[in-house]
Amino acid sequence: MCGYGTDGYAIYWYCLELICDDLGRDGNFTFELKHDAETIGIALKVDQKRVEEIMVYMVNLGLFENHDGVITCLKLAKYMQESQTRNP
């Protein structure tokens, strides 16, 4: 994450882990990040405002999507679909 150093890197991968951890738990594959900036900040010891700023940056880069305040990673869905359809 240009300009955000290890905080950006950590937040990106942690968000992906959170999304993957929630996949299919309730029978619904939404690829939604269900944790807020405060929770992520506490877990990673990063200020909540910085987490919010980095998340906006990542959405603007197209790494995540923001639909009415709901953060998703549909690229992850596409990756998973492609990995299941590849030849062994």
Side-chain angles (χ1 to χ4, degrees), residues 19-82:
I19 291 168
C20 288
D21 190 46
D22 283 341
L23 285 179
R25 283 208 177 177
D26 58 2
N28 197 359
F29 293 89
T30 64
F31 295 90
E32 177 182 333
L33 178 63
K34 297 178 181 170
H35 299 74
D36 61 11
E38 180 180 11
T39 304
I40 293 167
I42 290 169
L44 297 177
K45 296 180 175 57
V46 177
D47 180 72
Q48 175 183 346
K49 293 290 183 193
R50 184 160 173 87
V51 172
E52 291 170 359
E53 180 181 317
I54 292 170
M55 289 302 299
V56 167
Y57 179 73
M58 290 190 290
V59 166
N60 289 337
L61 284 178
L63 298 173
F64 295 97
E65 302 82 31
N66 182 350
H67 302 284
D68 299 322
V70 177
I71 304 295
T72 57
C73 186
L74 299 179
K75 286 184 177 202
L76 184 58
K78 181 179 177 185
Y79 171 78
M80 290 177 68
Q81 181 182 16
E82 289 174 358

